[in-house]
Amino acid sequence: MQSDLSQPIQAMNVPVAQHQEVIDLRRRRRAGESLIHGFLFLSGVLSVFTTVGIVLVLLSQALAFFRRPEVSLFDFLTKTTWQPAIGEFGIFPLVNATLLTSFIAVIVALPLGLMIAIYLSEYASAPARRIIKPVLEMLAGVPTVVYGFFALTFVTAILRALLGSDRVEIFNVGSAGLVIGILILPLVASMSEDALHAVPGALREAAFGLGATRLETTLRIVLPAALSGISAAFIVAISRAVGETMIVAIAAGAGPRNFKSWADAVTGFKFLNPFTAAETMTGHMVRISGGDLSYDSIDYDSIFAIGLTLFVMTLALNIASRWAVRRFREEY
Amino acid sequence: MRDRVSQVPGYPDEKQFQGFIRRRRRRGAMWRTLFLIATSVGIVVLSALLLNILDDSFGYVAVKNEIEPAALLATYAPKRLPMERGGADYQILRELSRDVQVQILRDHLSQGLIRRLESEQPLDQRSQEELGDLIIERVVEPHFLASWSLFDSVFHRARIKAEVAEMDGASLRFYSWLNPKFVVSPQSSHPEFAGIRTAILGSLWVVAITILFSLPVGVAAAIYLEEYGQKGRLNDLIETNINNLAGVPSIIYGLLGLAIFVRALQPLTGGSLFGIGDATTNNGRTIISAGLTLGLLILPIIIINAREAIRAVPQGIRQASYGLGATRWQTVWHHVLPNAMPGILTGSILAISRAFGETAPLVVIGASAFIIRDPDGPFSKFTTMTIQIYQWTARPQAEFRHLAAAGIIVLLALLLGLNATAIWLRNRYQRSY
Amino acid sequence: MPDILTLPRPSAPSISANGERYAITAENLNVYYGAFQAVRDINLKIERQKITALIGPSGCGKSTVLRSFNRMNDLIPVARTEGRVMFHGKNIYDADVDPVEVRRRVGMVFQKPNPFPKSIYENVAWGARINGYRGDLDALVEQSLRQAALWDEVKDKLHQSGYSLSGGQQQRLCIARAIAVQPEIILMDEPASALDPIATLRIEELMRELRKEYTIIVVTHNMQQAARVSDYTAFFTVDEHRTGYLAEYGPTTELFTNPRQKITEDYITGRFG
Ligand SMILES: Nc1ncnc2c1ncn2[C@@H]1O[C@H](COP(=O)(O)OP(=O)(O)OP(=O)(O)O)[C@@H](O)[C@H]1O
Ligand SMILES: [Mg+2]
């Protein structure tokens, strides 16, 4: 940079140009500028390469997985057992556990988070909000491994004490799901609060001026006006829950909950049982890669096939979130 | 003309309205209570999270020593024999004269072990402190037979005492799992001596690489998007893409890192290309792979934050700079960046604390389960605080759970420090244009 | 401070059916924002079915007084009110008074048009609905929009967003919204200040029309507007502590042609404020 700046200073030592002398105003090639421009451009497109990299890596390894003689895409999608040791690769048990933990999390976190947001934005005093809001934001930054510890050492213990240790296994989907809910709670509350807070006060005044109570103002004017932001918060939270890894790796179980058949899965709603262990997609990926994974093993390829499934799911949620923001945006 | 509303057809009359408004009020109060309860539940649950960690970090342990310190003192330094027994015994061992300490070690340790220790560092060149620790670790050899949480230690004291009385040769001590030795000791398979030092250093190394990679690249990308790129298809593509990347689960980045940095770039990241490293690290599961993976992971966050900071710099400043004949880069370097810097740093610090807290992608690219040696460069094997906590949590024995809790406190303290720095920065350099 | 209201007035007071002459009165009203006293000792009796204009320099507390007539100040955490505001023989600041009740009877139109992000129809119907209206909603909406002189412009797009209207139309929509609840009094805080002259004129016409049924209190910065539309004018100003007080109050024609106070004269002739 220094050299660029010194240029005009040198120029000043040159005798002042005569009137007749032609000044060159043409575009000059500045080597430094171009170099910098190049670097900036590369940095900008690196993110595109990252995406391309992710997609290529997932696709190519997943393809390698499905090319293997013991695997078929059809079985992958329709079988109800994931047991690499005997060559059974049905994704259902893993996806089922992911959906189950996410569902429990969402049931806990969305209503609770939204109510907290409403309380903070519409009811709490300004000092209370000033304290609680940053605390929420900080809690949203607590590493997930800490929440995993909490799930295993506290929530599981409580569940077992309350419901009986014969019903609730040490590793179980329920406590992992609950704690994922707790993990995304600050996220939901904080993002929803932002959305509610952004609703102009004039709308609230108008409602109050018509004789509305605070509840009516909140639920029927402010909430609909903030729907765009709140729905985005919800979808981001769901996406976090689906992709959450450490909590389930620690607390949900160390093996897929397999079913002999679809009939077996649905009898007595076994696939929905929250008190037994099950391995989610992410949990399985972590456990399999935890050991020294050799590159040409089927296990190595399989985690990329699972990763691709997960990627597609979260990508769909991301796109849905952007759609929701646009769909529910109200101008005011 | 008493009341308009009661006159207007369609509206409830005065009496009806009284009841109507009471119902609305009741409903309002009910929901208000509900919202308050929800908030309280949230606060209680999140406090439980923190209390649970504290609960596991302190508490009674039942200790059994191979050789009681008192017995050692009786033989080697009868004068120092304390009046009462307790934790002070250990400290006295560290305060004995070096001759006595070396004597104790020579008397109790095998020839082979002595030779190994001497070759690391001659015994009589070691400090009192170190020798004392060696005695405790190798001669006294305390074992934790059992351990209790803080809650149990406070509320079930009698029961614990009775239990320990049953144990042969065990004594009860109140123990803080979080202690200075925990922070400076390397990993160990004995919970009595295990520490988090290697993991802390590992985390610092990994995150250093992450910062070196993602900060310049992220800020450069933000500058490109805000100051250089023309509004158009390419910019839109990059923007959508960055938003999508921010929502990709971290474990997917682990897969990317595994396939690219660990496997494809193995000669580079394993260090064999530079003639560094050995068979255990040439597989590419190294600090640099981990750092780059996390770098890609936090890149979108850094870009998004930096763009916001750059956008907040008023247009007038740029115009003034161009008006003086500055080039685009001069404008960026001399005016835009300095003004945006506090915002960029604040956002980056938050992204960096995210990097400190990541676990899953590191497991996937192959963090080492057990390292005792400090990492000594980007091509070493790696572990991090989060990996360490994860492994301790996954062990069934209660003692490791306590270690995990202590490790969590160290990690959270570090993150809290980073967050506080970010807030301080934001307040310190808050600009009013 | 002399009670100018006790002075004999020229115009015959309009006395309502049950003998009440005033729609709402402020008695010794003091409003504070935290430690700062915004207005002091306001005594103001608002005549029924008349338009009363509140004028005065910026920051003298016109909005503050206006908002204290339907307890909108309750929504500002630091605001505190002393004194009484009598409405139907009851002090609306009594502990047992529900502000929601008050606001239903004392409606408000704000400076900036603030329609809800809902359809035009919903904007008008909403207030009626929450207040338990059981009659024909369509008819009420139409009637309110007609009264607000907006019906012809929107009757074909009732289900479009309230934000699809122009600023002036939005403000009339807000007036229609207030009317639909059938209040006794409508408070208007500079209702035309965000509008162009034509739209302003329409709002003024509308106010004169509404006077037949409603009591209107309007804050305005526009001297001509006050002179044009109002029956009574209250002039506020500030003392050395920046606290606002009522300097003069009387029939508009009188106040503008023959002000009693020097400061009023200075203000209306533009030598001040
Ligand atoms: N929410 C508030 N918090 C603190 N002080 C306030 C608040 N609202 C108004 N004030 C103060 O009270 C005084 C009166 O304000 P008010 O808005 O009533 O004035 P106004 O006469 O309506 O002025 P304008 O003509 O500019 O609208 C002012 O000094 C103002 O700064
Ligand atoms: Mg005002």
Side-chain angles (χ1 to χ4, degrees), chain B residues 1-5 8-12 14 17-18 20-21 24-25, chain C residues 88 98 100-101 104-105 128 130-134 180-181 183-184 213:
Chain B
M1 184 175 184
R2 245 197 39 72
D3 180 52
R4 278 192 73 93
V5 177
V8 177
Y11 278 103
E14 187 59 18
F17 196 82
Q18 289 303 330
F20 176 60
I21 203 159
R24 280 162 69 195
R25 280 294 182 195
Chain C
H88 287 290
D98 189 336
V100 168
E101 288 257 21
R104 184 178 57 113
R105 295 173 165 89
I130 60 156
N131 282 306
Y133 183 74
R134 294 264 174 281
V181 184
E184 281 171 73
E213 282 187 57

Side-chain angles (χ1 to χ4, degrees), chain C residues 33-34 36-39 56-65 76 78 111 189-190 219 221 242:
Chain C
Y33 293 110
F36 171 68
Q37 180 164 19
V39 295
S58 185
C60 67
K62 305 178 296 291
S63 301
T64 303
V65 169
I76 301 170
V78 294
Q111 177 170 358
D189 194 346
E190 305 185 39
V219 170
H221 267 292
R242 280 178 40 249

Side-chain angles (χ1 to χ4, degrees), chain A residues 1 33 47 51 211 216 322, chain B residues 24 52 241 244 327 329 401:
Chain A
M1 208 51 268
E33 290 271 332
S47 70
T51 308
E216 287 156 355
R322 228 151 317 120
Chain B
R24 280 162 69 195
N52 174 52
N241 182 59
N244 275 333
T327 64
W329 174 246
R401 203 176 71 210

